[in-house]
Every structure is written in C-alpha cells, then in structure tokens.
Amino acid sequence: SVAPGQTGTFEFWITAPQSSYGNFNEYFGLVVEGKAWMGDIGFNYASSVITPNYSWQLVSQYAYTDASKSAPSGLNLSPGQTAYIGFTARNTGNISWHSSGTNPLDIGTTMPSDRLSPFCSAGLGWLGCNRPVRMREVSVAPGQIATFEFLIKAPFTSGIYREYFSPVVEGSAWLPNIGFNYYIVVN
C-alpha cells in the first residue's frame, strides 16, 4: 500500500532482443488496473543492443606426446600414433564465449569448414570428427583467454598434413578463419 505522498517501488527484468540491434527507448506508465492510466510523463529507459562481434586472436599453440604435457612433440608421427595438441585464443570480440548453454564455443575443422578430420578416431574424446573439443573455461569475456586441448591420432596414410581449425559458436557463427593450423608429418 502506498498512501498519498509516499513512494512506490517497481523493479523488473528486461531482456534484450536477440535479433534486433540498435538503440531503443522503452516507455512505461502507471495504470490502476480496471480504473485509469495515470498521467504520461514520458518515463522511459534508453538502451542499446550491440551487434555481436565474434573475433579471436591466436595466443599460443603447442603439442605434446600425451595429456601429461611432460614431453613436447614435434608432430612427426608414425601411423596410428597419438599426440596431445592445444592452443590458447584471446577473445577480441565484444561478446563473452561460453562452454555450455545453447551456443557453446567449440573448435571446428576448416579448409573447408566442417570437414571430417583424418586425425579423429574413436576413443579420443572428440565431440565429432569435425569438432575436436569445446573450450576448457566456463566463460571467457572479451579480452580474456580460452584454452583448447585434445588428442589426435595419425592416419595410416603417410604424408604431410596441415590440419586447420577455427572456433565456432554452435548454432550462431564461425569466428573468422585466420588460417590457424598444425603442420603434421606422418612417416
């Protein structure tokens, strides 16, 4: 109850639209339900919904003989041999990355996008043969660094391979393909 001369408090959540970007003014007024609207004083909240900018920068990449990361690997592999590879990436965009929810950040194969990797094998823990792994951190805000680590298994066909990857926000967008790859020799 709010007597004349007293103050009433109204609090509520608003959610930004997911497909409309730009500046918005959301107007509100008081209404006595079933009786009348009170005078319109032009009360509003001004807000901006920014266009998502998904971008990234490679910080480091590495390769080891196994997940203990005790012995570096030069990625000169025998057919069927495994290696543990990883890299770190800085979020240079304007939206946080997440490892769960409707749009998690995964690593996808590129050149071309979503191709099946010859380095994928059952039992390696890959999400799929075109998606090695999801980022390790729960959330990575703009400016912060994400970590991606996974096992690869050399194919049984000898040769020189360049295995290309890029981050992908599942169900939303591929981050720019910067040509990131691992140079792998299978003897």
Side-chain angles (χ1 to χ4, degrees), residues 3-4 20 29 32 60 63 86 102 105 121 128 136 152 156 160 166:
S20 297
V32 179
S60 68
T102 53
L105 187 74
S121 180
R136 184 172 40 182
I152 61 171
F156 287 97
I160 296 173
S166 186

Side-chain angles (χ1 to χ4, degrees), residues 10-21:
F10 303 85
E11 296 178 333
F12 52 96
W13 289 96
I14 61 171
T15 302
Q18 293 186 352
S19 58
S20 297
Y21 308 109

Side-chain angles (χ1 to χ4, degrees), residues 25-143:
N25 284 315
E26 188 65 30
Y27 290 85
F28 298 96
L30 298 179
V31 61
V32 179
E33 290 297 341
K35 295 283 185 186
W37 282 88
M38 295 187 186
D40 183 359
I41 62 169
F43 173 66
N44 72 87
Y45 284 99
S47 62
S48 296
V49 179
I50 59 173
T51 303
N53 172 20
Y54 291 108
S55 62
W56 70 293
Q57 173 187 47
L58 180 66
V59 176
S60 68
Q61 77 182 87
Y62 44 89
Y64 292 93
T65 57
D66 61 28
S68 71
K69 298 193 271 188
S70 58
S73 171
L75 294 179
N76 289 315
L77 305 174
S78 300
Q81 183 180 359
T82 60
Y84 190 72
I85 63 175
F87 66 97
T88 56
R90 183 178 313 280
N91 181 348
T92 58
N94 65 359
I95 192 164
S96 292
W97 302 337
H98 303 282
S99 62
S100 63
T102 53
N103 303 109
L105 187 74
D106 294 339
I107 291 305
T109 54
T110 59
M111 306 294 270
S113 295
D114 271 338
R115 67 178 165 72
L116 299 179
S117 172
F119 293 89
C120 174
S121 180
L124 293 181
W126 285 37
L127 301 171
C129 284
N130 61 343
R131 296 285 192 278
V133 72
R134 190 159 284 157
M135 74 174 188
R136 184 172 40 182
E137 294 76 10
V138 171
S139 181
V140 174

Side-chain angles (χ1 to χ4, degrees), residues 171-184:
S172 184
W174 281 86
L175 277 65
N177 184 347
I178 63 170
F180 169 64
N181 70 86
Y182 283 90
Y183 181 85
I184 304 167

